[in-house]
Amino acid sequence: MHAWPASEVPALPGKGRDLRIHDTATGGRVTLAPGPVARIYVCGITPYDATHMGHAATYNAFDLVQRVWLDTKRQVLYVQNVTDVDDPLLERAIRDGIDWVGLAERETALFREDMTALRMLPPQHYIGAVEAIPGIVPLVEQLRDSGAAYELDGDIYFSVDADPHFGQVSNYSGELMRHLSAERGGDPERPGKKNPLDPMLWMAAREGEPSWDGGSLGAGRPGWHIECVAIALDHLGMGFDVQGGGSDLIFPHHEMGASHAQSLTGEFPMAKAYVHAGMVGLDGEKMSKSRGNLVFVSRLRRDGVDPAAIRLALLSHHYRADWEWTDQVLQDAVERLDRWRAAVSRPDGPSADALVEEVREALSDDLDAPAALAAVDRWAELQTAEGGTDESAPGLVSRTVDALLGVAL
Ligand code: 5CA
Ligand code: ZN
């Protein structure tokens, strides 16, 4: 699949700091020191209702990770998937009486437009589940042949007990795992499974559903977790720097994915940091397609809201916090954008050298975007109150905000 066009990232004077980030697996901060090419996998959308503010907030967090790395003069190898065949997508297509392929294409196209408008850097590899199937089949065969997977009435399940490190991404209790498995696409009640938590790797063809040639697996379609693992291993290999997504992916998705990859390769861990963004809610509930309480990026854009203001609204919350989308959040962002634009439109101003370092420090400290915004606010206030004589300052502020926060002033 093609991704979307990249906005240019201005180079800043000096060099950024290494990223210290919260890792779900260890429950603490890790300082990431990637090689010359930093490697990141971020779980993409299931394209049936894109792009709501929760999605946008999560992709904003991982866009910041890349901007911090680029500022350290590293290259970034970024991979993202599109879950363009899965139960929820097929169910929505049936409900709406439309073709599932057309639905996925339409929503993916909208997502690309939204990401472009929000100045999110595109992945180098943007891969759909369907196009990944030829790579998934041999992995499932390998797991089955090595005893890490088994057949149940034609379906193939992964055996979580095959991975000695299973449980070390989420660190959740068995009880919580069973509860979340049932809630998030698993089938812990199905009789005949070795462990109720075992997730499906390959689902045998069902009447009326799409299926693909699975070689020795028979016709069918892939499970959800193996999709991301196949794509990540293909383009990044093991031991990549960041596996990212929203906190609703901690279990089962990222737990299972890590176990699949570790069982396939015998290496540990799959990723150096498992990084999770908080959930964005509306009216006291998680914003989700299934609940239908959604605010769409495209809707706001159509209503004439500047994408830079949407981005500032996302940045005004720490990525790990759960927060509520409200009209006030957007209004505050619109006003902040106005203040910043007015401040950088003057021919000179107070020196911005310290500001560059403050924004760098804030972001390298577990992506503290609210602290970065506060630093820019202080410069803008000083500009309004006292002004200054540094003719390079307004331009440097604009470039800093663009390069590190993805906001075009
Ligand atoms: N296709 C899978 C990942 S392989 C999937 O979870 N798709 S999704 O469309 O449901 O979500 C896309 C991304 O947005 C995921 O990282 C998910 O964790 C995140 N996300 C979904 N809802 C919210 C929300 N309300 N707040 C924050 N992030 C969210
Ligand atoms: Zn995923």
PDB file of all heavy atoms in Angstrom, residues 353-367:
ATOM      1  N   ASP A 353      16.991  30.743  21.667  1.00  0.00           N
ATOM      2  CA  ASP A 353      17.974  29.657  21.806  1.00  0.00           C
ATOM      3  C   ASP A 353      17.614  28.733  22.966  1.00  0.00           C
ATOM      4  O   ASP A 353      17.703  27.509  22.858  1.00  0.00           O
ATOM      5  CB  ASP A 353      19.385  30.233  22.018  1.00  0.00           C
ATOM      6  CG  ASP A 353      19.853  31.021  20.797  1.00  0.00           C
ATOM      7  OD1 ASP A 353      19.185  30.919  19.744  1.00  0.00           O
ATOM      8  OD2 ASP A 353      20.861  31.740  20.902  1.00  0.00           O
ATOM      9  N   ALA A 354      17.216  29.337  24.098  1.00  0.00           N
ATOM     10  CA  ALA A 354      16.873  28.518  25.263  1.00  0.00           C
ATOM     11  C   ALA A 354      15.599  27.716  25.000  1.00  0.00           C
ATOM     12  O   ALA A 354      15.463  26.576  25.463  1.00  0.00           O
ATOM     13  CB  ALA A 354      16.686  29.410  26.494  1.00  0.00           C
ATOM     14  N   LEU A 355      14.688  28.306  24.239  1.00  0.00           N
ATOM     15  CA  LEU A 355      13.417  27.620  23.957  1.00  0.00           C
ATOM     16  C   LEU A 355      13.653  26.290  23.224  1.00  0.00           C
ATOM     17  O   LEU A 355      13.023  25.281  23.531  1.00  0.00           O
ATOM     18  CB  LEU A 355      12.518  28.535  23.117  1.00  0.00           C
ATOM     19  CG  LEU A 355      11.256  27.854  22.576  1.00  0.00           C
ATOM     20  CD1 LEU A 355      10.338  27.447  23.715  1.00  0.00           C
ATOM     21  CD2 LEU A 355      10.527  28.760  21.602  1.00  0.00           C
ATOM     22  N   VAL A 356      14.558  26.329  22.246  1.00  0.00           N
ATOM     23  CA  VAL A 356      14.840  25.096  21.503  1.00  0.00           C
ATOM     24  C   VAL A 356      15.240  23.996  22.486  1.00  0.00           C
ATOM     25  O   VAL A 356      14.756  22.861  22.417  1.00  0.00           O
ATOM     26  CB  VAL A 356      15.972  25.312  20.467  1.00  0.00           C
ATOM     27  CG1 VAL A 356      16.264  24.024  19.717  1.00  0.00           C
ATOM     28  CG2 VAL A 356      15.624  26.428  19.511  1.00  0.00           C
ATOM     29  N   GLU A 357      16.117  24.345  23.432  1.00  0.00           N
ATOM     30  CA  GLU A 357      16.581  23.332  24.399  1.00  0.00           C
ATOM     31  C   GLU A 357      15.465  22.915  25.353  1.00  0.00           C
ATOM     32  O   GLU A 357      15.385  21.750  25.754  1.00  0.00           O
ATOM     33  CB  GLU A 357      17.792  23.863  25.184  1.00  0.00           C
ATOM     34  CG  GLU A 357      18.991  24.183  24.305  1.00  0.00           C
ATOM     35  CD  GLU A 357      19.365  23.027  23.355  1.00  0.00           C
ATOM     36  OE1 GLU A 357      19.335  21.860  23.790  1.00  0.00           O
ATOM     37  OE2 GLU A 357      19.660  23.310  22.166  1.00  0.00           O
ATOM     38  N   GLU A 358      14.600  23.833  25.706  1.00  0.00           N
ATOM     39  CA  GLU A 358      13.489  23.479  26.611  1.00  0.00           C
ATOM     40  C   GLU A 358      12.528  22.502  25.936  1.00  0.00           C
ATOM     41  O   GLU A 358      12.047  21.545  26.548  1.00  0.00           O
ATOM     42  CB  GLU A 358      12.728  24.744  27.043  1.00  0.00           C
ATOM     43  CG  GLU A 358      13.435  25.537  28.120  1.00  0.00           C
ATOM     44  CD  GLU A 358      12.817  26.925  28.328  1.00  0.00           C
ATOM     45  OE1 GLU A 358      11.615  27.113  27.988  1.00  0.00           O
ATOM     46  OE2 GLU A 358      13.528  27.802  28.801  1.00  0.00           O
ATOM     47  N   VAL A 359      12.230  22.753  24.674  1.00  0.00           N
ATOM     48  CA  VAL A 359      11.314  21.853  23.966  1.00  0.00           C
ATOM     49  C   VAL A 359      11.973  20.480  23.799  1.00  0.00           C
ATOM     50  O   VAL A 359      11.354  19.436  24.019  1.00  0.00           O
ATOM     51  CB  VAL A 359      10.902  22.440  22.594  1.00  0.00           C
ATOM     52  CG1 VAL A 359      10.075  21.445  21.793  1.00  0.00           C
ATOM     53  CG2 VAL A 359      10.118  23.735  22.793  1.00  0.00           C
ATOM     54  N   ARG A 360      13.264  20.490  23.450  1.00  0.00           N
ATOM     55  CA  ARG A 360      13.995  19.213  23.346  1.00  0.00           C
ATOM     56  C   ARG A 360      13.960  18.441  24.660  1.00  0.00           C
ATOM     57  O   ARG A 360      13.719  17.234  24.683  1.00  0.00           O
ATOM     58  CB  ARG A 360      15.460  19.489  22.990  1.00  0.00           C
ATOM     59  CG  ARG A 360      15.670  19.741  21.531  1.00  0.00           C
ATOM     60  CD  ARG A 360      17.135  20.004  21.255  1.00  0.00           C
ATOM     61  NE  ARG A 360      17.383  19.914  19.827  1.00  0.00           N
ATOM     62  CZ  ARG A 360      18.274  20.650  19.173  1.00  0.00           C
ATOM     63  NH1 ARG A 360      19.019  21.535  19.828  1.00  0.00           N
ATOM     64  NH2 ARG A 360      18.434  20.492  17.881  1.00  0.00           N
ATOM     65  N   GLU A 361      14.237  19.145  25.741  1.00  0.00           N
ATOM     66  CA  GLU A 361      14.283  18.481  27.049  1.00  0.00           C
ATOM     67  C   GLU A 361      12.902  17.913  27.402  1.00  0.00           C
ATOM     68  O   GLU A 361      12.776  16.780  27.873  1.00  0.00           O
ATOM     69  CB  GLU A 361      14.759  19.476  28.126  1.00  0.00           C
ATOM     70  CG  GLU A 361      14.800  18.930  29.540  1.00  0.00           C
ATOM     71  CD  GLU A 361      15.577  17.626  29.673  1.00  0.00           C
ATOM     72  OE1 GLU A 361      16.581  17.433  28.956  1.00  0.00           O
ATOM     73  OE2 GLU A 361      15.159  16.762  30.488  1.00  0.00           O
ATOM     74  N   ALA A 362      11.860  18.707  27.160  1.00  0.00           N
ATOM     75  CA  ALA A 362      10.503  18.252  27.501  1.00  0.00           C
ATOM     76  C   ALA A 362      10.149  16.978  26.730  1.00  0.00           C
ATOM     77  O   ALA A 362       9.665  16.000  27.310  1.00  0.00           O
ATOM     78  CB  ALA A 362       9.487  19.359  27.199  1.00  0.00           C
ATOM     79  N   LEU A 363      10.416  16.962  25.429  1.00  0.00           N
ATOM     80  CA  LEU A 363      10.009  15.800  24.632  1.00  0.00           C
ATOM     81  C   LEU A 363      10.850  14.573  24.935  1.00  0.00           C
ATOM     82  O   LEU A 363      10.351  13.440  24.924  1.00  0.00           O
ATOM     83  CB  LEU A 363      10.070  16.130  23.137  1.00  0.00           C
ATOM     84  CG  LEU A 363       9.030  17.139  22.654  1.00  0.00           C
ATOM     85  CD1 LEU A 363       9.150  17.342  21.153  1.00  0.00           C
ATOM     86  CD2 LEU A 363       7.605  16.707  23.006  1.00  0.00           C
ATOM     87  N   SER A 364      12.140  14.775  25.215  1.00  0.00           N
ATOM     88  CA  SER A 364      12.982  13.610  25.509  1.00  0.00           C
ATOM     89  C   SER A 364      12.630  13.027  26.869  1.00  0.00           C
ATOM     90  O   SER A 364      12.975  11.890  27.178  1.00  0.00           O
ATOM     91  CB  SER A 364      14.467  13.977  25.449  1.00  0.00           C
ATOM     92  OG  SER A 364      14.773  14.879  26.491  1.00  0.00           O
ATOM     93  N   ASP A 365      11.912  13.773  27.684  1.00  0.00           N
ATOM     94  CA  ASP A 365      11.482  13.313  29.001  1.00  0.00           C
ATOM     95  C   ASP A 365      10.088  12.672  28.879  1.00  0.00           C
ATOM     96  O   ASP A 365       9.069  13.272  29.218  1.00  0.00           O
ATOM     97  CB  ASP A 365      11.453  14.526  29.946  1.00  0.00           C
ATOM     98  CG  ASP A 365      11.011  14.157  31.348  1.00  0.00           C
ATOM     99  OD1 ASP A 365      11.032  12.958  31.695  1.00  0.00           O
ATOM    100  OD2 ASP A 365      10.615  15.073  32.097  1.00  0.00           O
ATOM    101  N   ASP A 366      10.036  11.472  28.324  1.00  0.00           N
ATOM    102  CA  ASP A 366       8.790  10.726  28.138  1.00  0.00           C
ATOM    103  C   ASP A 366       7.747  11.552  27.366  1.00  0.00           C
ATOM    104  O   ASP A 366       6.565  11.574  27.728  1.00  0.00           O
ATOM    105  CB  ASP A 366       8.222  10.260  29.487  1.00  0.00           C
ATOM    106  CG  ASP A 366       7.235   9.094  29.331  1.00  0.00           C
ATOM    107  OD1 ASP A 366       7.300   8.374  28.309  1.00  0.00           O
ATOM    108  OD2 ASP A 366       6.391   8.919  30.235  1.00  0.00           O
ATOM    109  N   LEU A 367       8.197  12.216  26.328  1.00  0.00           N
ATOM    110  CA  LEU A 367       7.300  12.944  25.413  1.00  0.00           C
ATOM    111  C   LEU A 367       6.372  13.903  26.151  1.00  0.00           C
ATOM    112  O   LEU A 367       5.142  13.844  25.980  1.00  0.00           O
ATOM    113  CB  LEU A 367       6.452  11.966  24.586  1.00  0.00           C
ATOM    114  CG  LEU A 367       7.189  10.903  23.781  1.00  0.00           C
ATOM    115  CD1 LEU A 367       6.174   9.960  23.114  1.00  0.00           C
ATOM    116  CD2 LEU A 367       8.069  11.537  22.703  1.00  0.00           C
TER     117      LEU A 367
END
